[in-house]
Amino acid sequence: MHIARLAMLTGLRRICGMEELREQDLAQKGNSGSGTMLPSRPTLKTIAELCGLGVPTVSRAMNDSPAIGEETKRRVRQVAEEIGYVPDRAALRLRTGRTQSISLAFAIYRDAQLGQLITSIATALDSTSYQVGIAPMLSNDRALEPIRQVVEGRLADAVIFNETYIEDPRVHYLLERGFPFATHGRDSLSHLHPYFDFDNHTFGRKAVSVLHKRGRHHLALLGPQLHYYYGTDTFVGASEAAVELGLAFEQIPGAFSNSKLVDLQRAARQFVAERPECDGFICSSSHATLAVASALEEVGRVVGRDVDVIAKGSRVTLSMIRPGILAVEEDVGLAANFLTRAVLQAIDAPDLPPLQYLEQPDFSMYL
C-alpha cells in the first residue's frame, strides 16, 4: 500500500474511533462522569471519499452491478475491507426498501451436490453486500409456500430455487408479481426468466450411445420423477436414443433418483433380481448410482466388466467407491456463479434480457 494511502486510512480510523482506546483512558473517562461519543462506523460515503467516487457508484459496485467495471469493484471492495465497513442492513432497508438478501428456496434432498451448490452461491455473494437466506421446500405439495412467504413478507430481494416442474406454479407466481428470481433448472416458461440448467436430454442420449458402444443391449434408467423438467428431459433423451439404436430400455420402478437411500436400495435390488439381462444402467444421482452398484455386486456382477453404470455425479467420489462407474459431472461452481450473476442482474437491471445458460455434459473420456 502506498504511504500516502496508508496515512489516509490511519487517519480515517482515528477519526472514526476505530483505534483501540487505552484501558487507562477509558477508565478515566468513565470515572470522570463525562459522556463519551460512541465511535462512528464507516459508511458508503467513507468508501466513496477514499476511492474518489460517488456514493451511488460505490453502492452499485458493492452490489456487483454489471454496469460497474471489475477494476472499480475490486478497488471499492478492497477499501471497504481495509476500513472494516459492514453494511447497516436495517438502514439500507429503510432507505432503499431492499433487504440485501437472496433466499434459496431449495428442495432438500439427500445429495452432496445440493450442499456444494448452497456453499458456492454463498461464496459468490460474499464479495457483494448480499447475504444468503434459506427457505427450504420441505414437500412437493407445498412447493409454493416458502416462495410466497419470502415475497409477501419481503424477506429477500430475490429467490433462487431448484427442482423445477414442467408447469411450475412458483414461476407463474413470481412472474405475475414481477419479483426477481432465477431457477436451477428449466420449465415451460424458462424463456421468460433467468436460469442455469444441465442439458439432461443430451445426457440421456449420450449415455445410451456410450453404453451401446460398450456392447450393452438392455438398458435401464433410475432417474427423477417425470413431472420435473429434468426428469422428462432425461427420460425422453435416453428413450429416443435407445429406439434409434434398437436397444431395450425401461425405467426402474419403485423409486426415483432423489428418493431415500433405503427406497433406492430396495428398488435396485428388486430390479436387478428380476432383470438379469439388463447390462447397462443410467443413474441421475450419486445415491441412485451407489444403490444400483451395490445391488449388482450382491448378485456377483462386476461393474465395468459384466455391466456398465453411467452416473450423473462426482467423478472423484464415485471412482473412489466404485472404480468401474462412468461418471459425468455437473459444474456446480459454474452453476452457482452464473445463478448469482443472473439474479443480481434481475434485481438491478430487470429490463435487460434474462441471463440463461445450458451446460453440456462432457462424455469425451468415454466416447
Side-chain angles (χ1 to χ4, degrees):
M1 182 183 299
H2 296 300
I3 294 176
R5 188 175 178 193
L6 179 61
M8 183 184 295
L9 287 173
T10 303
L12 177 69
R13 291 190 180 101
R14 287 175 180 151
I15 291 171
C16 293
M18 294 174 64
E19 296 285 355
E20 292 183 359
L21 293 172
R22 280 180 271 176
E23 292 182 6
Q24 183 178 0
D25 291 342
L26 188 60
Q28 288 177 352
K29 289 180 181 180
N31 293 334
S32 67
S34 61
T36 58
M37 293 182 63
L38 291 174
S40 60
R41 57 191 294 169
T43 64
L44 291 178
K45 184 178 180 181
T46 310
I47 302 171
E49 290 174 350
L50 284 171
C51 294
L53 300 169
V55 172
T57 301
V58 170
S59 177
R60 289 195 293 271
M62 293 294 289
N63 290 327
D64 200 29
S65 169
I68 304 299
E70 291 302 318
E71 175 57 28
T72 299
K73 292 178 186 178
R74 185 199 63 76
R75 182 157 56 99
V76 166
R77 291 166 186 160
Q78 181 179 345
V79 171
E81 182 176 355
E82 288 170 352
I83 67 174
Y85 169 77
V86 177
D88 185 338
R89 298 189 181 278
L92 279 171
R93 183 165 187 171
L94 286 173
R95 187 171 66 253
T96 66
R98 292 185 178 180
T99 65
Q100 301 300 121
S101 176
I102 307 295
S103 277
L104 307 184
F106 284 171
I108 304 301
Y109 54 89
R110 293 143 290 279
D111 197 303
Q113 187 185 68
L114 179 63
Q116 187 182 351
L117 181 62
I118 293 173
T119 301
S120 297
I121 291 175
T123 301
L125 285 171
D126 188 52
S127 61
T128 75
S129 61
Y130 284 87
Q131 291 184 327
V132 168
I134 304 296
M137 188 187 86
L138 301 178
S139 63
N140 291 336
D141 58 344
R142 299 168 62 191
L144 185 56
E145 185 174 315
I147 300 286
R148 183 183 286 117
Q149 290 176 353
V150 169
V151 174
E152 295 181 2
R154 296 301 300 177
L155 303 179
D157 299 321
V159 294
I160 302 173
F161 59 93
N162 65 345
E163 296 282 293
T164 50
Y165 306 111
I166 296 173
E167 295 295 335
D168 201 304
R170 298 167 293 181
V171 171
H172 287 270
Y173 175 83
L174 291 165
L175 286 174
E176 287 173 358
R177 282 154 184 78
F179 194 86
F181 72 100
T183 60
H184 187 222
R186 287 173 291 164
D187 59 275
S188 64
L189 297 178
S190 56
H191 58 288
L192 298 176
H193 64 79
Y195 69 79
F196 182 99
D197 199 8
F198 181 82
D199 192 341
N200 290 283
H201 185 271
T202 298
F203 169 76
R205 289 191 65 88
K206 288 191 174 182
V208 169
S209 178
V210 168
L211 292 172
H212 176 250
K213 289 183 178 180
R214 296 173 73 90
R216 307 308 179 185
H217 303 286
H218 193 130
L219 314 183
L221 169 67
L222 185 45
Q225 295 97 319
L226 296 182
H227 60 260
Y228 290 122
Y229 192 98
Y230 80 112
T232 294
D233 229 16
T234 306
F235 179 81
V236 170
S239 58
E240 285 177 350
V243 169
E244 292 170 9
L245 296 170
L247 306 177
F249 174 78
E250 59 187 307
Q251 190 157 16
I252 297 176
F256 299 97
S257 56
N258 59 352
S259 297
K260 294 179 181 179
L261 187 54
V262 63
D263 295 328
L264 288 166
Q265 289 176 317
R266 180 171 57 249
R269 284 170 177 159
Q270 183 174 345
F271 184 86
V272 167
E274 295 176 353
R275 299 285 197 281
E277 71 278 12
C278 188
D279 55 4
F281 291 83
I282 303 168
C283 302
S284 292
S285 72
S286 295
H287 280 181
T289 305
L290 294 177
V292 167
S294 176
L296 290 167
E297 290 181 357
E298 287 177 4
V299 296
R301 303 181 73 187
V302 178
V303 175
R305 187 192 69 189
D306 307 318
V307 59
D308 281 310
V309 177
I310 293 182
K312 187 169 71 170
S314 170
R315 185 176 296 119
V316 173
T317 302
L318 291 173
S319 64
M320 285 193 299
I321 300 172
R322 300 287 192 280
I325 292 172
L326 312 176
V328 176
E329 292 186 288
E330 293 187 59
D331 192 332
V332 176
L334 176 65
N337 287 324
F338 189 88
L339 285 169
T340 301
R341 287 196 297 113
V343 82
L344 291 177
Q345 177 179 292
I347 294 171
D348 294 329
D351 294 331
L352 290 179
L355 294 178
Q356 301 169 340
Y357 192 92
L358 185 62
E359 181 187 358
Q360 294 302 308
D362 182 9
F363 280 85
S364 58
M365 65 182 60
Y366 307 127
L367 293 173

